[in-house]
Amino acid sequence: MAGDGLWYKDAVIYELHVRGFYDSDGNGAGEFRGLTLKLDYLSDLGVNALWLLPFYPSPLRDDGYDISDYTNIHPAYGTLDDFRMFLDESHRRGIRVITELVLNHTSDQHPWFQQARSSRENPRRDWYVWSDSVERYKQARIIFTDTELSNWAWDPVSKSYYWHRFFSHQPDLNFDNPAVREAAWEVMKFWFEMGVDGLRLDAVPYLVEREGTSCENLPETHDVLKYLRRRADETFSEKMFLAEANQWPRDVRQYFGDGDECHMAFHFPLMPRMFMAIRLEDRKPIVDIFQQTPEIPATCQWGIFLRNHDELTLEMVTDEERDYMYDEFARDTRAKLNLGIRRRLAPLMEGDRRRVELMNGLLMSMPGTPILYYGDEIGMGDNIYLGDRNGVRTPMQWNGGWNAGFSNADPEQLYSPIISNPVYGYQAVNVESQRRYDHSLLSWTKRLIRLRKSSRVFSRGTMEILKPQNHRVLAYIREFGNERVLVVSNLSSQAQAAELDLKRWKGSIPIEMFGGNLFPPIGDLPYLLTLGPYQFYWFRLRRL
Ligand code: NOJ
């Protein structure tokens, strides 16, 4: 897997939860052995990196983001040896592995916190953030608005308040304490030494608190990240940090530093705007956000996505935009959660295959590394009757048989009910049936991924947005070295025509990439294209 070290730029990442993927021992939850058995499926799909949700020992009150031991595996998911085996088998297939590093907080069950709360004199006391009053850091917002009323929680043991940005059972670590930084580095080292290729750094904006600020994106927080990056670079090569910073592009830009902080960061504001654009049938939201997106250092890369394990977050939109998104995508108010919508891609697209394809076509052709959420490649549905975000974390649907082929356990024993409604249920939506025919969403997604990986123009190229008069059409040129690709997408539910100003590429021949067919050469006149509802084209522009 040698290269220029920038593997994450050319990656197509698949996000999954080991618990939800495949249960090979019949206890109702997936484990590493099960996941290892499914690596051929993932390799055949064409993804070349996996991002695993937290799998560490945990009381599982935030699905594992509440860690009680950073250097072990939750017994329900297997052992460290199982993990090593999974890692080796992934690498053997050319698949990199990205795991979670939850730095900001631990579980309240973590021995560090247990010691810290045991008495005010305990040497671990200063590993967390304590206060005698709830008046400190008043300007910090509450993130889990549906469950938490304050960022302070009362500790009856040591009779003081501790700081938490997420659930109250997730006390924040105190990164002003050098011992905490050291502990974070030790955890990082442990997983990198084992062979993990990248770490998703959870909730990074909140590492450090300062009075009179929002306690987000502080310079001291960036210092911590730069420190960890320096240590990682001194000790390892080809490792990657992916920042989870749900912030505006200018603020996220800081997490790349001068190429000395995080290699990647999610582009949170782009995601809801892709949904807005397709609903409004107008390219404006997408064009606007790219205009606000600053350049990033050459070794860095955006991580782009449509859906993930959380609610479709609407933190990075205006109040009006949020109302619009709720009106259009969460008419059933059960779909709302915190500042977001807890639905999967296919139901958000009302089961419309053309819209699902268009969204994936945009994802795979825009600048950044695309991240697919497990199950979306077959169009899985969700269950908004389950609590919190559990409705988008149901078992993978492998076939139409017992428990969707996910597990031999009794259905009651499963960690979550399987989706079984007539539209998205496992009898209708599953891997085995979609494998059988060429026109299934699964087969189509495979082709899309293959095409995406066929040229570095997508993973490394620049993007120039064109401005055809018809604003229902989004068109851009991706360029890398002497390769050029024109992407044209009809965001509307009706057929559209667009005239593109392609004068600069006069004499080039557009070759439609899915079929390999030649289109008329580009001449002096505006290039006229017609597109059916939600249709899109990728053209390689070949010079004559
Ligand atoms: C972000 C994760 O994506 C989310 O699932 C989790 O609840 C919070 N961080 C807290 O760790």
Side-chain angles (χ1 to χ4, degrees):
M1 291 208 265
D4 57 6
L6 305 181
W7 59 269
Y8 46 90
K9 288 202 166 206
D10 303 319
V12 174
I13 302 177
Y14 187 93
E15 176 195 357
L16 66 87
H17 196 335
V18 59
R19 182 173 71 168
F21 214 57
Y22 184 55
D23 171 22
S24 69
D25 57 11
N27 68 357
E31 68 298 300
F32 277 106
R33 285 175 183 229
L35 174 56
T36 308
L37 292 171
K38 293 297 184 185
L39 283 173
D40 285 338
Y41 166 77
L42 295 167
S43 154
D44 184 50
L45 180 60
V47 299
N48 50 15
L50 302 179
W51 154 27
L52 306 187
L53 294 176
F55 48 72
Y56 315 98
S58 158
L60 300 182
R61 294 178 68 194
D62 183 11
D63 214 351
Y65 282 96
D66 46 332
I67 298 175
S68 56
D69 178 355
Y70 281 95
T71 52
N72 221 326
I73 307 284
H74 193 293
Y77 308 149
T79 62
L80 279 169
D81 278 343
D82 295 341
F83 180 79
R84 280 193 197 97
M85 164 92 88
F86 152 76
L87 201 57
D88 288 349
E89 288 297 315
S90 301
H91 287 162
R92 210 163 60 76
R93 290 167 177 79
I95 297 177
R96 308 262 183 172
V97 175
I98 303 164
T99 58
E100 289 273 350
L101 187 66
V102 184
L103 290 171
N104 180 64
H105 47 268
T106 68
S107 158
D108 59 4
Q109 300 306 305
H110 196 293
W112 296 341
F113 187 70
Q114 293 294 321
Q115 290 161 21
R117 76 169 5 165
S118 66
S119 87
R120 291 187 179 213
E121 284 71 46
N122 190 285
R124 287 249 200 260
R125 180 72 178 174
D126 193 37
W127 281 44
Y128 293 85
V129 182
W130 300 96
S131 173
D132 286 329
S133 102
V134 294
E135 295 306 310
R136 291 174 73 196
Y137 311 141
K138 275 263 180 220
Q139 288 173 34
R141 71 191 165 112
I142 291 167
I143 297 169
F144 286 163
T145 48
D146 285 3
T147 23
E148 299 300 331
L149 295 170
S150 165
N151 287 322
W152 290 108
W154 176 248
D155 171 35
V157 182
S158 63
K159 304 212 170 10
S160 52
Y161 296 96
Y162 62 88
W163 180 248
H164 62 88
R165 289 311 298 268
F166 294 91
F167 289 122
S168 58
H169 56 76
Q170 290 165 314
D172 274 33
L173 284 163
N174 173 16
F175 273 89
D176 282 327
N177 183 341
V180 170
R181 295 179 189 210
E182 241 12 68
W185 161 243
E186 287 300 324
V187 173
M188 201 171 244
K189 191 157 69 120
F190 178 86
W191 293 105
F192 279 160
E193 258 167 10
M194 195 175 299
V196 163
D197 302 284
L199 293 171
R200 171 191 180 270
L201 308 182
D202 183 70
V204 282
Y206 319 108
L207 298 185
V208 177
E209 302 73 32
R210 287 291 178 269
E211 204 52 74
T213 73
S214 65
C215 298
E216 298 185 18
N217 312 321
L218 298 180
E220 294 84 347
T221 286
H222 289 288
D223 290 344
V224 174
L225 294 170
K226 285 197 166 71
Y227 168 77
L228 292 171
R229 171 68 184 268
R230 200 167 56 242
R231 303 278 327 240
D233 282 353
E234 280 161 13
T235 321
F236 303 100
S237 59
E238 302 216 0
K239 303 294 186 192
M240 185 274 285
F241 289 1
L242 164 57
E244 192 227 5
N246 190 353
Q247 304 284 332
W248 291 102
R250 62 172 180 279
D251 295 321
V252 182
R253 170 66 188 80
Q254 309 298 320
Y255 289 89
F256 295 116
D258 295 322
D260 58 354
E261 208 169 307
C262 296
H263 308 73
M264 287 186 68
F266 292 106
H267 200 317
F268 276 100
L270 171 62
M271 181 274 298
R273 286 172 178 79
M274 292 168 76
F275 287 90
M276 259 154 46
I278 199 168
R279 198 66 189 190
L280 283 164
E281 308 196 359
D282 196 309
R283 65 175 182 246
K284 190 172 183 323
I286 296 179
V287 175
D288 282 356
I289 202 67
F290 275 115
Q291 274 162 0
Q292 291 174 47
T293 301
E295 288 291 315
I296 58 176
T299 52
C300 294
Q301 177 83 323
W302 292 105
I304 58 178
F305 61 101
L306 298 169
R307 291 296 300 111
N308 63 19
H309 63 291
D310 287 327
E311 67 275 26
L312 187 167
T313 162
L314 298 174
E315 285 177 39
M316 290 303 122
V317 296
T318 62
D319 290 348
E320 293 76 46
E321 289 169 335
R322 190 173 310 118
D323 287 346
Y324 176 77
M325 287 291 289
Y326 280 145
D327 280 352
E328 297 300 326
F329 291 106
R331 290 238 174 87
D332 184 335
T333 51
R334 259 179 301 246
K336 292 187 186 176
L337 181 73
N338 301 319
L339 279 190
I341 301 170
R342 47 177 175 174
R343 301 225 73 155
R344 269 185 179 267
L345 179 64
L348 285 165
M349 296 295 108
E350 298 171 305
D352 183 344
R353 173 76 183 265
R354 297 168 306 177
R355 275 183 271 172
V356 170
E357 287 189 7
L358 174 58
M359 290 294 269
N360 278 301
L362 293 172
L363 178 73
M364 291 284 169
S365 63
M366 285 178 169
T369 291
I371 302 159
L372 299 173
Y373 186 51
Y374 84 94
D376 282 352
E377 74 276 24
I378 54 171
M380 257 171 69
D382 49 42
N383 182 352
I384 54 175
Y385 297 92
L386 296 178
D388 201 357
R389 291 148 291 177
N390 297 331
V392 298
R393 301 176 183 182
T394 61
M396 180 69 179
Q397 296 169 193
W398 293 104
N399 62 42
W402 186 255
N403 291 331
F406 164 72
S407 166
N408 288 330
D410 286 344
E412 296 80 2
Q413 210 186 335
L414 299 185
Y415 76 89
S416 153
I418 293 179
I419 305 290
S420 21
N421 67 58
V423 181
Y424 298 106
Y426 63 97
Q427 276 141 341
V429 175
N430 65 68
V431 170
E432 194 172 293
S433 69
Q434 295 197 24
R435 253 190 184 153
R436 288 193 182 194
Y437 67 112
D438 252 12
H439 298 285
S440 65
L441 181 60
L442 177 63
S443 306
W444 179 84
T445 306
K446 260 192 232 178
R447 288 198 292 278
L448 183 73
I449 295 175
R450 205 181 317 130
L451 217 50
R452 149 91 195 188
K453 292 196 307 186
S454 70
S455 166
R456 283 188 165 182
V457 82
F458 294 116
S459 52
R460 305 209 178 192
T462 55
M463 178 202 219
E464 183 187 333
I465 298 182
L466 306 178
K467 305 254 162 55
Q469 231 176 30
N470 185 345
H471 52 91
R472 303 201 185 282
V473 172
L474 172 67
Y476 42 88
I477 299 266
R478 304 291 316 271
E479 197 160 8
F480 183 67
N482 46 23
E483 275 190 86
R484 220 153 284 119
V485 167
L486 166 67
V487 177
V488 189
S489 306
N490 176 10
L491 302 171
S492 98
S493 53
Q494 289 157 17
Q496 300 288 337
E499 292 190 322
L500 301 174
D501 177 1
L502 300 178
K503 273 198 292 295
R504 270 170 52 204
W505 298 282
K506 185 179 160 187
S508 290
I509 299 200
I511 304 170
E512 200 283 322
M513 292 178 71
F514 285 82
N517 293 314
L518 306 189
F519 271 53
I522 299 169
D524 288 314
L525 296 176
Y527 199 81
L528 174 70
L529 281 173
T530 57
L531 300 106
Y534 301 119
Q535 195 188 358
F536 66 89
Y537 290 123
W538 292 1
F539 294 111
R540 211 182 278 277
L541 299 187
R542 194 207 281 154
R543 288 228 181 268
L544 272 182

